[in-house]
Amino acid sequence: MAENNNLIIVNDLKTHFPVRKGLFSKVHAYVKAVDGVSFRIQAGRTLGLVGESGCGKTTTGRTILRLIPATGGEVFFQNKPIFTLPPVQMRRIRRDMQLIFQDPFGSLNPRMTVGNIVGEALTVHGIAKRDEKRDQIALLLEKVGLSAHHMSRYPHEFSGGQRQRIGIARALALNPKFIVCDEPVSALDVSIQSQIINLLRDLQREFHLTYLFIAHDLAVVEHISDYVAVMYLGKIVEYARAPDLYSNPQHPYTMALLSAIPQPDPHRSSRRIVLRGEVPSPMNPPSGCPYHPRCHMAVERCKEELPPLETKGDEAEHIASCWVTR
């Protein structure tokens, strides 16, 4: 990827949470929610970040936005190291970096009208007032498939899909460049999921948005992502262009996730790879490859040595962390 076209650069990002015990609350251990994650997102593109619940996807997104303090690593936004920016500069950067929440029910204040929810950021940043603010809110609601007369209503009067549209309008209010989409469709019906994904794609083209699209289902990110990164236990285990990852997965964990996607053709047979056991604790990860206790392809070396992320197959941008695949 072209260096000068990278909007987001993440280098060796780590987010560890201390576990305290005893009378004096001494640090007993650390939960390594994110443990050495690196990737880049080009302007106007989408990176899908996929993995099971608890693998560190949401923590990664929120650490990038500085909503959670990082333990180590660097994040650059438009070549600016955001972890070291003073509050005044960070306030300006926050207008360009927004978040769409997973829960369309809990993320909206039930005591605020839709107009106040969407327009709150405009007030906080002093961008628009009165009639100008009202016009901008009406335009934002129309962009997401709602209408201006919805401004005076409250969240409980809307369906789940409509509430997520309100959340998207709120994220768009400050005309951002980068949006972290934190599982924005996982709480919605399947038919509504496709509508929201299509809306996000249309908005991306219109406003030249850059997305980090977080999901636990590879089927969800297939049609919106340019690149896909698969996370397991705080680490990225595979990264590739979306078509390459779906057609030629190189990590056993990715293979297992893909095998779980239902096939629309009843005559097309596919071997289901069943994941054994539970995800290990990020406080006490296994030795060697963290996936080896559940892997159907594991060899003795997997138990002893952590495989590096390295190029697999013929694609230079297709990397995976596995001793077995080549």
Side-chain angles (χ1 to χ4, degrees), residues 32-325:
K32 298 178 180 179
V34 181
D35 196 25
V37 165
S38 300
F39 57 78
R40 302 181 179 196
I41 312 177
Q42 287 181 296
R45 299 293 185 90
T46 300
L47 171 66
L49 190 59
V50 183
E52 292 173 282
S53 296
C55 72
K57 308 182 302 296
T58 293
T59 303
T60 298
R62 298 194 178 201
T63 304
I64 290 172
L65 298 177
R66 269 184 67 173
L67 299 177
I68 296 175
T71 304
E74 300 173 304
V75 174
F76 295 88
F77 176 76
Q78 293 183 317
N79 295 319
K80 297 176 182 177
I82 67 168
F83 289 166
T84 58
L85 288 178
V88 173
Q89 293 186 38
M90 191 61 206
R91 179 181 171 86
R92 175 63 187 88
I93 292 286
R94 287 200 183 281
R95 292 172 55 174
D96 293 326
M97 305 172 72
Q98 293 294 310
L99 173 65
I100 298 173
F101 294 91
Q102 174 182 356
D103 183 8
F105 302 95
S107 63
L108 304 178
N109 190 332
R111 299 185 178 183
M112 295 175 66
T113 64
V114 170
N116 289 334
I117 290 171
V118 176
E120 185 176 22
L122 298 174
T123 302
V124 169
H125 288 270
I127 294 175
K129 296 180 180 179
R130 298 182 181 141
D131 291 344
E132 182 185 1
K133 176 182 172 182
R134 182 179 178 84
D135 292 342
Q136 288 194 31
I137 294 170
L139 180 61
L140 287 167
L141 291 176
E142 291 171 1
K143 289 289 185 184
V144 299
L146 300 175
S147 61
H149 73 266
H150 288 136
M151 279 193 287
S152 59
R153 297 186 181 181
Y154 288 86
H156 73 269
E157 301 178 63
F158 297 88
S159 66
Q162 288 174 320
R163 293 185 199 188
Q164 195 60 289
R165 291 174 187 270
I166 295 168
I168 294 171
R170 175 176 59 187
L172 292 174
L174 297 176
N175 193 26
K177 295 181 175 66
F178 173 62
I179 299 180
V180 174
C181 306
D182 185 10
E183 301 205 40
V185 298
S186 64
L188 305 176
D189 293 339
V190 174
S191 59
I192 306 301
Q193 288 183 6
S194 60
Q195 295 178 20
I196 296 299
I197 289 175
N198 288 336
L199 171 63
L200 290 171
R201 291 178 64 185
D202 292 341
L203 293 171
Q204 183 175 42
R205 286 191 291 265
E206 182 174 355
F207 297 107
H208 195 62
L209 297 169
T210 304
Y211 293 145
L212 174 62
F213 193 97
I214 297 170
H216 62 264
D217 187 350
L218 274 167
V220 170
V221 304
E222 182 175 5
H223 302 293
I224 192 172
S225 300
D226 299 290
Y227 290 83
V228 177
V230 180
M231 277 192 78
Y232 186 80
L233 214 62
K235 299 180 182 294
I236 289 178
V237 297
E238 185 164 5
Y239 173 93
R241 293 179 181 272
D244 298 332
L245 184 134
Y246 284 90
S247 63
N248 186 29
Q250 292 295 312
H251 195 280
Y253 181 57
T254 309
M255 298 174 191
L257 294 179
L258 286 173
S259 76
I261 299 175
Q263 296 294 337
D265 184 357
H267 301 291
R268 181 181 175 186
S269 62
S270 60
R271 186 172 67 90
R272 176 76 166 89
I273 301 173
V274 179
L275 289 171
R276 299 177 296 183
E278 300 292 332
V279 179
S281 169
M283 188 169 64
N284 186 26
S287 61
C289 173
Y291 182 62
H292 86 259
R294 309 174 72 195
C295 183
H296 66 288
M297 299 172 61
V299 296
E300 196 62 29
R301 188 181 186 184
C302 302
K303 303 176 183 179
E304 301 168 356
E305 300 178 54
L306 177 66
L309 273 170
E310 57 186 5
T311 303
K312 302 287 185 178
D314 299 327
E315 296 293 332
E317 290 184 294
H318 194 157
I319 57 176
S321 175
C322 183
W323 292 121
V324 180
T325 58

